[in-house]
Amino acid sequence: MPADPPHSATHPQRSTTSQPTSGSRASAIEVRRSARRRRTVSAYREGDRTVVLIPARMSEAEEKRWVDVMLAKLEAQESRRALGDTELAERAERLSAQYFGGRAGPRSVRWVTNQNTRWGSCTPAEGSIRLSHRLQGMPEYVVDYVLCHELAHLLVPGHGPGFWRLLEAYPKTERARGYLEGVVAAERLPRPPGLRDE
């Protein structure tokens, strides 16, 4: 089989199919090839479209195989996240009862994938709490701290002294804050050669 033609790094080749593999939630798949990308493949949802990023020199057969692999991975992640939302809401309810006398009652608690610069958010007027998917896999006390932080916002919207006094009820606040600060610091460190995505 002849090699794929070279592609410009500044103009990645895009191909879109309107029929994803069966079971996929997306209505279209867009494959973006990059000359800068050497070995890694990644994918994400963009509205009703799935975008798959691959190296420019990948063959059509490899592209098809990797699209199938990445669609399966995204489906598995979304399935775990959907199952996790119910557990997350139950956990928030338990934490509210334990540390806030049940006064912080969110209407919804869920994982989200669009929070990359903060760990959680709360909209007190709606009673909604959203936690970044980046917390998944972190120690339970860290997730509990972020939940408590957002639950406290249901009672005190700002970050004034009253908010921090309320949050002191959670005994692992300082430990969890230290853990998260360490994660942020580690993310700022340069990655070793050979481990870059592109």
Side-chain angles (χ1 to χ4, degrees):
M1 172 180 273
D4 292 334
H7 302 286
S8 165
T10 57
H11 297 92
Q13 177 186 8
R14 296 180 183 194
S15 63
T16 304
T17 61
S18 58
Q19 298 296 322
T21 52
S22 64
S24 174
R25 288 180 13 195
S27 62
I29 301 164
E30 181 176 330
V31 177
R32 296 180 186 168
R33 291 175 174 263
S34 170
R36 289 180 56 213
R37 189 175 285 268
R38 297 288 181 231
R39 293 183 300 273
T40 60
V41 176
S42 61
Y44 59 92
R45 301 283 193 206
E46 192 174 78
D48 65 349
R49 175 183 308 273
T50 300
V51 177
V52 182
L53 308 170
I54 64 172
R57 297 189 180 279
M58 191 172 277
S59 71
E60 285 184 30
E62 289 173 312
E63 174 183 319
K64 182 183 181 326
R65 183 177 72 82
W66 275 108
V67 165
D68 289 343
V69 166
M70 298 313 287
L71 285 174
K73 281 187 175 185
L74 283 174
E75 291 289 336
Q77 287 173 355
E78 289 163 353
S79 173
R80 282 196 305 271
R81 201 172 303 124
L83 294 173
D85 287 349
T86 301
E87 295 166 359
L88 197 61
E90 291 169 356
R91 199 163 171 178
E93 193 175 312
R94 285 194 306 272
L95 290 168
S96 175
Q98 186 173 358
Y99 299 111
F100 305 114
R103 293 179 298 136
R107 290 189 195 102
S108 71
V109 183
R110 62 191 173 94
W111 296 107
V112 293
T113 57
N114 62 349
Q115 290 191 83
N116 294 316
T117 59
R118 53 184 169 171
W119 300 111
S121 63
C122 174
T123 307
E126 297 174 2
S128 63
I129 291 175
R130 295 160 303 280
L131 262 59
S132 172
H133 72 288
R134 297 185 316 147
L135 288 165
Q136 293 173 332
M138 289 190 187
E140 282 189 17
Y141 75 91
V142 175
V143 176
D144 286 350
Y145 162 72
V146 177
L147 274 172
C148 284
H149 185 107
E150 302 310 332
L151 286 166
H153 276 309
L154 292 175
L155 303 172
V156 180
H159 285 107
F163 171 83
W164 294 109
R165 274 195 303 276
L166 190 61
L167 196 53
E168 285 174 2
Y170 182 64
K172 296 182 180 174
T173 291
E174 290 308 313
R175 182 178 174 199
R177 286 171 59 92
Y179 183 97
L180 292 172
E181 287 170 6
V183 170
V184 170
E187 287 175 351
R188 290 184 184 141
L189 294 173
R191 298 174 74 185
L195 294 181
R196 299 194 185 282
D197 288 340
E198 295 185 349

